[in-house]
Amino acid sequence: MKILVTGGLGFIGSHTVVELLKENNEVIIVDNLYNSKIEVLEKLEKITGKKIKFYKYDLVNKEEIEKIFKENEIDSVIHFAGYKAVGESVKKPLMYYSNNLISTINLLETMNKYNVKKIVFSSSATVYGNPGVVKYTEELGRKDASSPYGTTKCMIEKILEDLYASDNSWNITILRYFNPVGAHESGLIGEEPNGIPNNLMPYVMKVASGKLETLSIFGNDYPTPDGTGIRDYIHVVDLAKGHVKALEKIKEGLNYYNLGSGKGISVLELVNTFEKINNVKVNYKIVGRREGDLAEYYADATKALNELNWKTEKTLEDICKDSWNYEKNNK
């Protein structure tokens, strides 16, 4: 298959490109480099041994998308591109709504024009809001997200639903994933957030490497075994393989899948495992809870196992080892 990967030089996109090429697919990447670096392209070619067609275009520019579809006979699309920092979205909501929605609408309109009607969309567990349960199933449906970033994911899901309702020749798969972490075992590609990291694992790595002084753990008085929040952390390579499975088994209709490990890991468990596996110290301090944080939640990924034959294979130890390997290689 010839697959267009939007945002293909980003954290999850780049790892998915590797897995797609492993399965002998032809991949075209479009990325505006807002959340990524051009050096990743060279690293992808080094890992895979294959030349990859790349467009430094922005999906907000419809003429540029048109050029990609005109020049390539694309079979399907995996759509990662979009602004993704929760904190930034709270400060700049209009930027997030404008970019994430317009870019997606432009992409879908161009796909429709060229009769390319297979898409896998990168969504998020944030669409579940606070459903009042610990284990999230796809049947919970969308609730109010806690940030403009999350709301754009909800809105794009709704756009895709309305598109399918208007034309059921589309094959649409929506993947809702939990907390992607880790890095490729080569140490060449991994997570490289702009500025101070928002997410736990990149922050842990920056503290371990001495780039940041202390990790703040928000709350140790939750009703969990060690008092810290519990989340579902999924190795990015497992997540990437989930996208390949979704594309291989994409079927008629509109389908939703949770991609997660199906078990929760506490903040302290992750930090302690990271220290033990890598023999490094992570300085941390306990501070007050963050408003809106939940005590515990994780994925029910049974549907992905039953319908896509997908489940996570990597362990927390793999996550910690691969993350630190990437950090050391990219100091």
Side-chain angles (χ1 to χ4, degrees):
M1 281 196 291
K2 190 176 280 193
I3 302 149
L4 176 65
V5 180
T6 75
L9 296 187
F11 176 42
I12 303 166
S14 60
H15 287 81
T16 301
V17 166
V18 171
E19 298 305 320
L20 287 168
L21 290 171
K22 264 192 196 173
E23 299 299 319
N24 295 316
N25 295 291
E26 191 175 339
V27 173
I28 299 152
I29 296 173
V30 56
D31 199 307
N32 69 359
L33 304 182
Y34 182 82
N35 285 320
S36 56
K37 295 180 176 139
I38 191 61
E39 296 80 46
V40 173
L41 182 62
E42 187 181 331
K43 292 175 179 180
L44 289 175
E45 292 179 341
K46 186 174 180 180
I47 291 167
T48 62
K50 295 179 180 177
K51 189 76 180 159
I52 303 166
K53 195 166 189 179
F54 171 70
Y55 290 87
K56 184 185 178 297
Y57 285 173
D58 195 316
L59 300 184
V60 171
N61 185 326
K62 202 168 182 182
E63 289 177 5
E64 291 185 341
I65 309 176
E66 177 97 26
K67 192 166 185 287
I68 298 170
F69 279 81
K70 197 175 280 184
E71 292 178 0
N72 302 277
E73 288 189 15
I74 294 162
D75 298 303
S76 52
V77 175
I78 302 182
H79 182 35
F80 294 105
Y83 295 160
K84 62 177 187 174
V86 171
E88 184 182 54
S89 79
V90 174
K91 292 174 184 169
K92 301 176 180 178
L94 295 181
M95 184 176 96
Y96 270 66
Y97 288 122
S98 174
N99 180 81
N100 292 5
L101 298 179
I102 291 170
S103 60
T104 302
I105 291 165
N106 284 347
L107 174 66
L108 293 170
E109 286 180 343
T110 310
M111 288 175 68
N112 197 48
K113 179 177 177 179
Y114 284 84
N115 201 34
V116 179
K117 294 187 175 181
K118 287 184 181 176
I119 184 168
V120 174
F121 173 59
S122 158
S123 192
S124 166
T126 190
V127 303
Y128 293 119
N130 181 3
V133 297
V134 169
K135 202 169 190 179
Y136 289 10
T137 65
E138 291 85 354
E139 286 71 35
L140 287 170
R142 290 186 300 273
K143 303 286 190 296
D144 288 336
S146 59
S147 69
Y149 158 76
T151 304
T152 66
K153 293 294 187 187
C154 291
M155 293 170 84
I156 291 168
E157 286 196 10
K158 180 66 174 137
I159 288 167
L160 290 167
E161 288 167 2
D162 289 343
L163 176 62
Y164 179 73
S166 72
D167 177 2
N168 60 18
S169 66
W170 280 81
N171 298 335
I172 298 168
T173 295
I174 293 170
L175 301 179
R176 295 169 174 164
Y177 32 86
F178 285 64
N179 293 273
V181 284
H184 193 264
E185 61 185 13
S186 66
L188 289 173
I189 57 172
E191 189 168 10
E192 199 64 53
N194 294 328
I196 295 174
N198 283 302
N199 299 328
L200 177 60
M201 182 57 92
Y203 211 110
V204 166
M205 291 197 295
K206 299 302 180 195
V207 173
S209 63
K211 293 175 184 173
L212 294 171
E213 281 187 22
T214 311
L215 169 72
S216 292
I217 294 178
F218 298 99
N220 66 345
D221 57 351
Y222 286 105
T224 61
D226 63 20
T228 63
I230 288 176
R231 299 289 181 266
D232 188 330
Y233 296 97
I234 173 174
H235 197 296
V236 66
V237 172
D238 280 333
L239 184 58
K241 289 176 178 176
H243 289 76
V244 178
K245 288 281 191 186
L247 206 55
E248 284 173 354
K249 296 184 178 290
I250 199 164
K251 53 184 193 253
E252 286 184 12
L254 180 68
N255 297 283
Y256 309 81
Y257 299 98
N258 284 339
L259 295 187
S261 69
K263 60 178 184 288
I265 295 164
S266 78
V267 174
L268 270 182
E269 186 183 354
L270 186 145
V271 171
N272 291 338
T273 305
F274 188 92
E275 288 184 323
K276 182 181 172 186
I277 289 292
N278 299 311
N279 195 27
V280 293
K281 179 70 180 152
V282 178
N283 295 318
Y284 68 84
K285 62 182 178 182
I286 305 295
V287 298
R289 295 186 186 187
R290 282 185 304 197
E291 189 180 346
D293 272 0
L294 304 177
E296 179 179 7
Y297 67 86
Y298 50 90
D300 183 332
T302 308
K303 189 180 177 193
L305 175 62
N306 292 341
E307 296 187 15
L308 302 181
N309 193 29
W310 174 90
K311 65 177 180 179
T312 58
E313 296 169 352
K314 304 237 178 217
T315 63
L316 176 57
E317 288 75 15
D318 294 327
I319 286 168
C320 294
K321 176 172 61 71
D322 292 340
S323 296
W324 186 233
N325 184 40
Y326 175 73
E327 178 68 21
K328 288 188 296 183
N329 279 354
N330 293 273
K331 277 190 176 177

